[in-house]
Amino acid sequence: MTDRLRLGYLPLTDAAPLIIAQELGFAAEEGLALDLVRVGSWAQSRDLLGTGGIDAAHMLVPMPIAQSLGLGPAYPEFDLLMVLSQGGQAIAVSSALEARLRDGGHGFEFDDPLAARAALAKAHPGQLRVGVPFPFSTQAELVRHWLDGTDLAHRLTIHTVPPPQMADALAADEVDACCVGEPWASFAVEHGRGALLLAGRAIWAAAPEKGLVMTRDRAEARPGQTGRLMRALWRAGRWLDQPDARGTAAEILSRADYLNLSPEICERGLLGRLHVTATGELRQFPDFVRFHAQGATFPWRSIAAMLGARMAQRHGLDPDQAMTRAAACFRTDLYRRHLRQAGADLPGSSAKVEGAIAAPTAVAAEKGQMILGPDAFFDGHVFDMASDTR
């Protein structure tokens, strides 16, 4: 017997695990049929999940944390069961700002946060309006961290723009820059509405972007379905990180039912071969987005605590309570229970010092060792959940 599940997603490259799980049979192997519900904004996704309109969601990693802190509607508790992707974001600037950056000698290297920040401060002396897909998003966290401690941070205003509308917002001078997941940054470049300034992973090497989110009641009440869904998406992510899979993935994602864009645009972020300007200047950024490798899917409670502490600071909440609540909604227990039988690498601890890994590193795991990828911040920042080095 096949169980049908309704999964919400936004049309983004990092929705690939859901789409691939359905299209290539990983869901069917687990006795599932996925009804993929395309939504127009993250608020709509949140509301559908909270009211029972969908069973689970492809969702921005900070969103369930915000809900746990009371920074959203009064819905049942949301839990993040696994990370679906790391990276995949880019900061883009408007064409007008691109021209001023060029005049100032900036070369759009795409991988140098310090040079990009200095050039931006020089080229744009006034208020800096930056579009992000949702107030509680990895993109908003990246922008704030990148500009923290500089005059730009005092001139920054954050504007919420749904990802497919980012290019239009740049063209209409509603924002000066944006931080958005692929393919919408490349879409802006392709249509002459801006240029790519910086990769998200250049700011934070292991920035978790999307996660599988369910209400706590549903995840726990139907453990069989929950586990089967997690395993289907985990296997789809493992397939996506095979070297020869990304071209096929781009063809599937490009279909009208999903992203409805050309395969070439969809492929740029998947391959880490990005055109940074409308004239076709190419930049290579290996591992621009990751779906599985080097522990990418594990829902570290230390990441939740770090993001929760930052939200608490901005919203006048108790930071210790915020870290505790945030960590509780990243369900490492369900990850271990449901993915152990699939053969997932399971780290020995559910928390680590965030930002401390500069290169792939072997760490203790339930079965021997596993490799974790770099998680460093560009400025050397670290966060230790045990000592709260905010």
Side-chain angles (χ1 to χ4, degrees):
M1 180 177 177
T2 299
D3 291 336
R4 301 197 74 86
L5 295 177
R6 285 172 57 83
L7 272 58
Y9 78 99
L10 255 69
L12 289 148
T13 299
D14 54 38
L18 284 69
I19 295 167
I20 294 301
Q22 177 61 20
E23 291 287 343
L24 295 191
F26 296 108
E29 290 174 1
E30 292 287 346
L32 298 175
L34 306 183
D35 293 333
L36 301 181
V37 180
R38 176 170 165 161
V39 299
S41 70
W42 292 113
Q44 183 186 10
S45 176
R46 176 201 62 199
D47 294 345
L48 283 170
L49 184 64
T51 59
I54 53 178
D55 299 304
H58 151 259
M59 188 173 280
L60 291 159
V61 162
M63 288 179 68
I65 299 172
Q67 284 294 120
S68 76
L69 303 185
L71 300 174
Y75 291 139
E77 292 175 290
F78 288 7
D79 281 344
L80 186 142
L81 310 185
M82 60 187 291
V83 174
L84 295 174
S85 61
Q86 285 182 348
Q89 323 91 348
I91 293 175
V93 297
S94 68
S95 296
L97 184 47
E98 175 194 359
R100 296 199 299 273
L101 285 161
R102 287 282 189 201
D103 290 343
H106 186 62
F108 289 84
E109 291 81 7
F110 196 57
D111 62 355
D112 189 336
L114 293 174
R117 189 174 69 183
L120 183 61
K122 179 181 177 182
H124 193 80
Q127 181 188 55
L128 179 65
R129 304 163 299 165
V130 178
V132 300
F134 198 68
F136 307 111
S137 60
T138 305
Q139 287 85 349
E141 296 296 333
L142 288 170
V143 170
R144 288 190 175 103
H145 191 102
W146 177 46
L147 302 182
D148 188 39
T150 71
D151 178 60
L152 282 167
H154 301 294
R155 298 191 269 120
L156 173 68
T157 57
I158 295 289
H159 299 254
T160 299
V161 183
Q165 298 174 28
M166 285 291 188
D168 290 341
L170 288 169
D173 193 33
E174 295 171 359
V175 295
D176 305 299
C178 66
C179 184
V180 66
E182 278 290 282
W184 299 109
S186 287
F187 180 88
V189 172
E190 185 69 11
H191 289 80
R193 298 172 189 175
L196 302 190
L197 183 65
L198 189 65
R201 295 194 81 153
I203 300 170
W204 179 11
E209 177 55 23
K210 302 300 188 308
L212 173 66
V213 178
M214 276 188 177
T215 62
R216 182 166 299 172
D217 289 345
R218 197 189 194 291
E220 294 180 348
R222 303 180 184 181
Q225 282 188 358
T226 299
R228 285 185 284 146
L229 176 60
M230 292 175 69
R231 288 189 292 274
L233 298 181
W234 182 84
R235 290 187 174 107
R238 182 175 61 181
W239 179 86
L240 280 160
D241 272 3
Q242 294 178 7
D244 58 350
R246 298 291 177 93
T248 301
E251 292 283 349
I252 294 171
L253 293 174
S254 71
R255 295 175 186 171
D257 288 345
Y258 300 126
L259 272 59
N260 194 27
L261 295 170
S262 72
E264 194 274 333
I265 290 290
C266 296
E267 193 175 56
R268 292 182 189 181
L270 286 168
L271 297 182
R273 300 179 68 252
L274 295 115
H275 295 188
V276 297
T277 64
T279 59
E281 290 181 74
L282 187 67
R283 299 290 183 268
Q284 303 276 359
F285 198 102
D287 224 13
F288 178 77
V289 62
R290 181 182 293 165
F291 297 100
H292 177 86
Q294 297 184 351
T297 59
F298 191 75
W300 293 98
R301 295 194 171 192
S302 43
I303 288 179
M306 179 179 68
L307 296 177
R310 292 179 179 180
M311 290 181 195
Q313 187 175 34
R314 290 196 295 270
H315 292 273
L317 304 176
D318 181 87
D320 293 325
Q321 290 183 9
M323 288 193 293
T324 299
R325 291 175 182 170
C329 76
F330 272 38
R331 298 299 300 272
T332 56
D333 57 330
L334 297 184
Y335 186 98
R336 293 178 187 279
R337 181 190 312 168
H338 295 308
L339 293 181
R340 185 177 285 114
Q341 63 181 279
D345 286 329
L346 301 173
S349 173
S350 292
K352 58 185 173 68
V353 177
E354 296 299 330
I357 302 176
T361 300
V363 300
E366 282 192 4
K367 295 181 178 180
Q369 291 186 326
M370 63 180 290
I371 302 296
L372 295 183
D375 70 352
F377 291 88
F378 81 102
D379 57 356
H381 173 77
V382 296
F383 176 89
D384 186 347
M385 185 176 172
S387 59
D388 180 17
T389 55
R390 278 175 286 135

